[in-house]
Amino acid sequence: MPADSPARATARETIALLTGAAGFTEHRPPSHPLPPDGPLGWAGYDAARERAASRTGEEESVVYGTGVVGDRACVLLAFEFGFLGGSLGRLTGDRLAAAYELALTRRLPLLALVATGGSRMQEGMVALTQLQRVAAASTRLRAAGLPQIAVVRDPTTGGGWATVGAGADVVLALPGAQVGFAGSRVRPADADPHAYSAEGQFAAGQVDAVVPPGELALTVTHWLRALGPHTVADMPRPDPHAVTGAPRAAAPDALPAAPLPRALSAVRLPETGREAVAAARDPLRPRAEAYLADYFAVRLPLHGDRCGSTDPGLLCGFGLRADGLPVAYVAQCGTPTRPAGYRAAARTIRLADRLGIPVLTLIDTPGAANDAEAERAGAGAAIADAFAAVAAARVPVTTLVIGEGGSGGALALAAPDNTHVTADSYFSVIAPELAAAILKRPPSETGATADQLRLRPQDLLELGFARSIVS
């Protein structure tokens, strides 16, 4: 990567890229000088630090303080790669811990602009244990319901990636940045370099978006608006006629539920189960992308399961409605949902729950993927985790079935007592074709089986599964 690349900008240049004219107020932690040549007495370490300070104008490899990105105040920390490769030593740990504590004290989101080569060898285990300090500080911030956003620059490797970077709630990357736990000098000689790039990490579901420098400030502003922190008083109150029932939280002034999306097709209610299935499987029926585009003014996708996989048929993220209401979304796209999709969904729901943001789920799947690869990838455990995330959510979860509701693979993402259906949808314990096969009925009886399953929208309403049929 060229030295003048935006991904290789200095710490202060990167901060200025985001804060612009709003400015940045630097903070410094209390001074705790190192012994001569550091805790290991590493010969020449002091001289190396002096050269790094002279070259960069910085006292350490991290700069931190408060600033405003767009219209949102936050705590920013930025690594200066020119200072000993942005490495982490004890004084770096002091600054990182102080930055997290500043965010905690002021109840502000933390924005980390990461460029690091890892832990500082000249300080040995003292340097390595700074990762535990960062993990503890991040955990305290998470417990306080405050969001953490990381922007990974070039390079982001080692412990800095495995804590400040990959440990954030949302991970954005600059194009072409080297990103990975193993740095270029310690990975296998025959390793595929793409796997250690921002683009490769995005493909593997470890990075949420690769964002060009010119779009970074606006993207971060949207994320700060969506993630908060929010209080109940901050949240716009949706039209009560559009809200789906009472919030699930116990408090009377709890967060409002997400407004119910409008149906995007005007089909009549089906007369038979077979008609209901045909309408839901109509290739011209509106899909999740159309619903999300109609529902949100701004969409901010979360990408991947953080376990090395993605499911293109399951869309997750946060969005801002035109009225300013932030809502998390999980949307099936009409394909069998894979284990990576359920893991991504559970991640999204738990993050929304921690930050106090209502959740909208859109159901549209013939069922969970049932091939051998899905089983090897832990389909059962992933589905169970999605069920658990919905069941444990303290924020309101609203569900709209927009197409096929195929068995447990669909039910895993449905809100108990707050599920609604469109006229061109169905929900069934099993697909009628499979039900007929299990019952040893001929294919000619599939339609009759569909009727017996009572899977039509009006059946679901009568059975008490659906709260309403959305028109």
Side-chain angles (χ1 to χ4, degrees):
M1 166 123 357
D4 59 352
S5 165
R8 276 284 175 94
T10 68
R12 294 183 190 274
E13 288 170 344
T14 308
I15 290 171
L17 177 67
L18 291 169
T19 60
F24 168 72
T25 302
E26 185 175 359
H27 289 239
R28 287 184 172 84
S31 177
H32 299 101
L34 295 171
D37 278 333
L40 305 185
W42 187 289
Y45 181 42
D46 282 352
R49 286 179 52 84
E50 290 172 4
R51 289 193 298 271
S54 176
R55 183 170 58 252
T56 63
E58 304 295 351
E59 299 172 355
E60 248 303 332
S61 59
V62 161
V63 175
Y64 79 98
T66 56
V68 176
V69 179
D71 57 355
R72 295 286 163 160
C74 60
V75 170
L76 298 99
L77 69 86
F79 283 75
E80 176 50 68
F81 189 77
F83 193 103
L84 301 181
S87 56
L88 282 73
R90 198 200 76 191
L91 298 183
T92 321
D94 289 346
R95 290 180 173 229
L96 291 172
Y100 282 87
E101 184 64 26
L102 182 62
L104 184 63
T105 301
R106 299 202 179 182
R107 293 206 54 80
L108 291 173
L110 181 83
L111 174 59
L113 312 172
V114 191
T116 173
S119 300
R120 200 168 293 173
M121 291 180 295
Q122 297 92 328
E123 295 188 26
M125 287 302 298
V126 173
L128 190 63
T129 56
Q130 302 310 306
L131 305 181
Q132 295 172 321
R133 292 181 71 189
V134 172
S138 175
T139 299
R140 289 191 292 271
L141 209 58
R142 189 172 294 113
L146 296 168
Q148 302 171 51
I149 301 171
V151 176
V152 293
R153 300 146 56 209
D154 185 53
T156 296
T157 62
W161 163 238
T163 52
V164 184
D169 298 317
V170 176
V171 182
L172 310 176
L174 291 178
Q178 179 188 171
V179 181
F181 185 64
S184 59
R185 298 183 183 181
V186 298
R187 68 183 64 138
D190 60 349
D192 177 9
H194 181 69
Y196 304 86
S197 68
E199 291 76 10
Q201 295 285 8
F202 175 79
Q206 309 291 356
V207 164
D208 291 306
V210 178
V211 184
E215 300 174 13
L216 189 60
L218 181 59
T219 300
V220 170
T221 298
H222 286 323
W223 272 114
L224 291 171
R225 287 173 181 164
L227 299 186
H230 302 290
T231 65
V232 173
D234 293 332
M235 303 292 277
R237 288 283 170 178
D239 180 349
H241 299 292
V243 177
T244 63
R248 298 172 67 200
D253 60 346
L255 207 65
L260 193 62
R262 61 176 180 169
L264 298 185
S265 59
V267 299
R268 60 175 176 80
L269 285 173
E271 294 183 4
T272 66
R274 175 174 287 180
E275 285 184 20
V277 173
R281 293 177 179 174
D282 186 342
L284 300 180
R285 171 182 55 78
R287 305 284 166 152
E289 279 285 0
Y291 276 90
L292 294 175
D294 184 68
Y295 189 78
F296 288 113
V298 175
R299 277 173 56 195
L300 302 163
L302 292 175
H303 181 75
D305 67 352
R306 296 297 186 265
C307 295
S309 299
T310 63
D311 180 0
L314 196 288
L315 304 178
C316 293
F318 288 72
L320 292 167
R321 288 172 45 80
D323 60 5
L325 181 72
V327 176
Y329 64 86
V330 173
Q332 293 170 316
C333 298
T335 58
T337 302
R338 307 202 64 79
Y342 292 111
R343 285 191 287 266
R347 171 198 170 204
T348 302
I349 294 166
R350 290 194 172 107
L351 177 57
D353 190 52
R354 177 161 59 80
L355 299 179
I357 298 170
V359 178
L360 170 70
T361 66
L362 299 179
I363 302 297
D364 184 11
T365 180
N370 59 4
D371 54 82
E373 180 183 352
E375 294 295 343
R376 284 192 291 267
I383 294 168
D385 196 39
F387 268 116
V390 173
R394 297 159 298 177
V395 296
V397 179
T398 301
T399 296
L400 180 62
V401 185
I402 63 171
E404 291 194 80
S407 193
L411 191 68
L413 299 178
D417 304 320
N418 199 16
T419 292
H420 305 253
V421 295
T422 62
D424 50 354
S425 70
Y426 80 88
F427 216 120
S428 178
V429 64
I430 192 170
E433 297 88 352
L434 298 179
I438 291 171
L439 296 172
K440 299 181 180 180
R441 296 176 176 178
S444 60
E445 293 190 26
T446 297
T449 303
D451 290 335
Q452 283 184 288
L453 287 169
R454 298 197 63 193
L455 48 70
R456 301 174 303 166
Q458 57 269 45
D459 296 324
L460 300 172
L461 185 64
E462 184 178 337
L463 289 168
F465 172 75
R467 289 186 62 174
S468 73
I469 300 172
V470 178
S471 59

